[in-house]
Amino acid sequence: DGVEAKMFARKLLKSLTTAFGWSILESGFFHADAHPGNIFILDDGRIGLIDFGQVKQVNSDFREAVAKVILVLDERKSDENPDDLAKIGNYASGLGIELKDDVPAHGQAAIAMWLFDGSV
């Protein structure tokens, strides 16, 4: 709970975000079983991943859709703004998630927010 712990947590989060962001968005091949038992902090502060028994590869269209969703989530004015919800939903439809016909119009946006926005 001290200052050092908070600084370490921020550095760890940044390292994990960089590592997984690069692997998903750039290479399209990523570790799909990231839990604390598979993540190590090396002596020099780098991240070490083990147990690549579960991996996933995604194509460039999916990577582009994920990137656009993340950007539009960051640029939104509010979670209730109809224009923002429509834009988020439009990009989220590229993720390949199929919804039932009776799901409200903002359903795709809600799923994108749930998947990619830690503040929701």
Side-chain angles (χ1 to χ4, degrees), residues 31 33-34 37-40 48-53:
H31 192 297
D33 190 23
N38 287 343
I39 301 170
F40 289 87
L49 301 175
I50 64 167
D51 186 5
F52 283 81

Side-chain angles (χ1 to χ4, degrees), residues 83-109:
D83 291 337
D84 288 339
L85 292 174
K87 194 171 184 181
I88 294 166
N90 182 48
Y91 286 124
S93 65
L95 298 174
I97 300 169
E98 295 181 18
L99 302 177
K100 292 183 178 182
D101 292 335
D102 61 343
V103 172
H106 62 275
Q108 290 280 12

